[in-house]
Amino acid sequence: MNIRKLCAICAICGFTTASAQTSDPVIMVINGQPVPRSEFEYSFNKNNAEGVIDKKNVEEYLDLFINYKLKVEAAKDAKLDTMTSFKQEFASYRDQQIRPVFITDADVEAEAQKIYKETQTRIDSMGGMIKPAHILLMLSQQATVEQQNAAKVRIDSIYNALKKGADFGDLARRLSQDKGSAAQGGELPWLTKGQTLKEFDEVAYSLAKGEMSAPILSPAGYHIILMKDRGNFFPYDSVHADILRFIDQRGLRESIIDNKLKEIAAEQHVTPAQILDAKAAEMSAEDMDLKYLIQEYHDGLLLYEISNSTVWDKAAKDEAGLANYFNKNKKKYKWEQPRFKGIAYHVKDVADVKAVKAAVKNLPFDQWAEKLRTTFNNDSVLRIRVEKGIFKQGDNALVDREIFKKDTTVKQLKDYPYDAVFGKKLKAPQSYQDVRNLVLTDYQEQLEKEWVAGLRKKYAVKVDETVLKTVNKHE
């Protein structure tokens, strides 16, 4: 599930941590389904925690909670909880809470040991590890003969100096063109076979500790290699933390859990999914926090899906409904100041100033952008730069100057010297499209109210006022 969807679910559900109680009376019954007091408290306390601006008292919050439960009942009646996609998504989120109990520190340590042994065996069988130093004179593979000869003369000169006793680290710091290692006297980190260039690798692995190579040529240039040290793979303790990071980065914990679930399932002749189902039920019975967290996932997914199909997506696609709502509520959408509905544009050729206007003059506003793109910018040469929208004063300097007659400086666009605007100055919105987002929000709110009113009539709701008075006031 995507982040946007999860955020919506959390906002709808409003659940938080609850504590198990020895006495948990039924606070209400909705469509025959009893709701324990702890569940109501769970939601109420979250939505009235520290930092919440619009806090409610118990009586005020009651209606919000009932509406939430009614929508969940509607989703169940619509059989949304029987859909394969729902079951898979719910299981995925629930299992994030359950799966970690199937892995222990000992399991992770065993995996770390296994990775270490495999790595150690592979590296040591290939000659172990080396810690070389080198002096590099870089040489492009496109170097001329003269450049190649000059580099060869210089590397030979350095090599002769080293043979006569010059300090390798000093020359590396002063002359090596591998700046990273030069600062360390030419020293490279510990390496394994295959980590460097083939030509470098072959020579380096042939050197004994303390031995220096003659100049060699690789695709990078000329090297002189000094073998500072050799050895087997690092001790386990020195790479333990790195291996644990590797396990986390590669998602190997999940692989360990998968393998354990398969083993348990095989022993019990069931499926891994059935193992997780049973474990979830067991853990929920013991932990009220987990029980309500899992219920949050379950009901939240249902609520998202039915709210989307009944209100959010339905309203967004109901163009006739949006138009009708706007026409009945035009006074709500008046502007304090006029707007300009049109385009501000810049062209290369003065003739295109009129051509742009002619191209869109008789088209609906929502078709302007595509018409301009296909007419003027349909090949590699962009003839116009356009900003389209409904502008208020201050939104666009060119519109401010041409339409609102403000003394405004318009920044000249390079290669587009001719500026113009085209459209209409409006005192108020002419259609819902001019204020679509506002109309959509209000229309969704109306559909929501109508939906809830229908659910209130469809499903019986009975609240125990005596228990309601004990919310957060019991031992």
Side-chain angles (χ1 to χ4, degrees):
M1 182 169 63
N2 58 42
I3 294 299
R4 180 182 176 187
K5 190 171 184 179
L6 179 58
C7 290
I9 287 170
C10 291
I12 292 169
C13 296
F15 278 156
T16 187
T17 305
S19 299
Q21 303 165 34
T22 54
S23 176
D24 193 9
V26 171
I27 196 170
M28 66 186 73
V29 178
I30 297 179
N31 193 32
Q33 301 298 315
V35 179
R37 179 177 60 191
S38 61
E39 182 181 345
F40 180 81
E41 288 178 332
Y42 187 79
S43 182
F44 173 78
N45 291 333
K46 160 65 182 295
N47 286 277
N48 292 277
E50 281 300 318
V52 173
I53 296 175
D54 186 22
K55 291 187 177 183
K56 310 286 186 185
N57 59 36
V58 171
E59 289 73 22
E60 291 170 333
Y61 189 72
L62 179 63
D63 273 349
L64 298 176
F65 183 82
I66 290 172
N67 291 345
Y68 150 70
K69 297 298 287 185
L70 288 171
K71 293 172 187 176
V72 172
E73 287 301 308
K76 291 176 180 177
D77 276 357
K79 308 295 184 184
L80 296 183
D81 56 341
T82 66
M83 296 169 58
T84 300
S85 58
F86 168 82
K87 291 179 178 179
Q88 290 175 342
E89 194 164 10
F90 166 60
S92 173
Y93 269 82
R94 181 205 65 183
D95 293 350
Q96 289 179 18
Q97 308 302 317
I98 307 303
R99 285 171 60 88
V101 304
F102 289 95
I103 189 171
T104 65
D105 290 343
D107 294 325
V108 176
E109 181 61 23
E111 183 68 15
Q113 290 276 4
K114 176 186 174 185
I115 292 171
Y116 176 79
K117 290 294 184 184
E118 290 174 351
T119 306
Q120 180 188 46
T121 300
R122 176 175 55 81
I123 289 175
D124 289 350
S125 67
M126 294 191 303
M129 303 185 69
I130 57 173
K131 185 170 178 53
H134 78 145
I135 295 172
L136 170 66
L137 296 186
M138 297 175 69
L139 186 63
S140 169
Q141 294 186 47
Q142 287 75 45
T144 64
V145 174
E146 291 77 9
Q147 291 171 329
Q148 294 178 40
N149 291 338
K152 183 67 169 66
V153 169
R154 192 176 183 203
I155 198 72
D156 286 342
S157 175
I158 295 172
Y159 180 61
N160 289 331
L162 290 169
K163 287 199 298 183
K164 292 178 181 179
D167 183 75
F168 190 97
D170 178 59
L171 289 184
R173 276 185 283 270
R174 291 192 292 114
L175 303 176
S176 179
Q177 293 174 332
D178 176 2
K179 300 303 180 184
S181 66
Q184 309 301 320
E187 287 194 25
L188 295 166
W190 282 96
L191 301 173
T192 61
K193 189 165 285 187
Q195 279 189 279
T196 64
L197 295 166
K198 179 175 178 290
E199 295 81 0
F200 186 100
D201 222 25
E202 289 177 353
V203 173
Y205 265 90
S206 71
L207 299 175
K209 182 177 178 179
E211 187 177 0
M212 183 177 71
S213 75
I216 66 163
L217 181 63
S218 82
Y222 282 106
H223 310 256
I224 299 172
I225 306 171
L226 174 64
M227 185 53 57
K228 303 290 288 187
D229 203 358
R230 298 188 65 132
N232 291 325
F233 188 52
F234 300 117
Y236 179 69
D237 289 345
S238 69
V239 293
H240 183 248
D242 294 326
I243 295 175
L244 293 182
R245 277 193 294 273
F246 174 83
I247 288 173
D248 288 335
Q249 291 168 357
R250 294 297 180 91
L252 297 183
R253 288 177 185 267
E254 295 304 313
S255 296
I256 295 170
I257 294 171
D258 286 339
N259 290 334
K260 287 195 101 177
L261 286 170
K262 289 175 183 177
E263 291 174 5
I264 297 171
E267 291 172 0
Q268 299 182 10
H269 305 291
V270 295
T271 65
Q274 289 172 314
I275 296 293
L276 287 166
D277 288 343
K279 194 64 175 178
E282 175 191 331
M283 294 172 65
S284 295
E286 298 172 353
D287 185 346
M288 187 72 75
D289 292 357
L290 181 62
K291 172 186 174 181
Y292 284 131
L293 179 60
I294 291 175
Q295 184 175 323
E296 175 183 356
Y297 291 150
H298 182 275
D299 292 353
L301 282 168
L302 288 178
L303 200 51
Y304 177 88
E305 294 299 335
I306 196 163
S307 296
N308 194 43
S309 61
T310 306
V311 177
W312 305 334
D313 194 49
K314 178 181 178 180
K317 293 178 179 178
D318 185 6
E319 302 298 333
L322 289 167
N324 184 55
Y325 185 88
F326 171 78
N327 291 331
K328 289 181 178 179
N329 299 275
K330 282 187 177 181
K331 291 181 180 180
K332 293 176 63 175
Y333 305 107
K334 286 185 176 180
W335 293 323
E336 293 182 2
Q337 296 178 335
R339 301 284 198 273
F340 173 67
K341 181 179 181 179
I343 54 174
Y345 62 102
H346 315 270
V347 297
K348 291 177 177 288
D349 190 328
V350 66
D352 279 342
V353 171
K354 290 185 177 180
V356 166
K357 296 177 182 179
V360 301
K361 184 176 180 180
N362 298 314
L363 292 177
F365 189 61
D366 60 1
Q367 296 179 21
W368 286 18
E370 179 63 13
K371 180 64 174 179
L372 293 174
R373 185 190 68 78
T374 57
T375 303
F376 299 96
N377 291 343
N378 202 27
D379 52 31
S380 59
V381 178
L382 302 182
R383 290 164 56 188
I384 63 172
R385 298 286 296 275
V386 184
E387 185 177 352
K388 171 181 172 287
I390 299 178
F391 304 88
K392 65 179 182 297
Q393 188 174 313
D395 286 347
N396 182 283
L398 181 57
V399 171
D400 285 349
R401 186 185 73 187
E402 299 297 322
I403 301 300
F404 299 119
K405 306 305 178 184
K406 297 296 179 180
D407 185 13
T408 304
T409 300
V410 177
K411 185 178 179 181
Q412 188 72 54
L413 290 186
K414 183 182 178 182
D415 300 327
Y416 298 87
Y418 304 103
D419 306 319
V421 297
F422 182 69
K424 293 181 180 179
K425 187 177 180 180
L426 306 177
K427 292 183 179 180
Q430 293 182 325
S431 79
Y432 78 95
Q433 292 286 14
D434 296 340
V435 282
R436 193 180 196 283
N437 288 340
L438 294 176
V439 175
L440 176 59
T441 298
D442 292 342
Y443 186 45
Q444 287 174 334
E445 185 176 334
Q446 175 181 287
L447 292 182
E448 171 92 8
K449 289 179 180 178
E450 292 173 353
W451 180 35
V452 170
L455 295 178
R456 290 270 183 167
K457 293 178 180 178
K458 181 177 181 180
Y459 299 119
V461 177
K462 183 177 180 181
V463 178
D464 190 323
E465 297 292 340
T466 303
V467 177
L468 186 66
K469 292 177 181 178
T470 68
V471 170
N472 290 333
K473 296 177 182 177
H474 53 90
E475 295 297 329

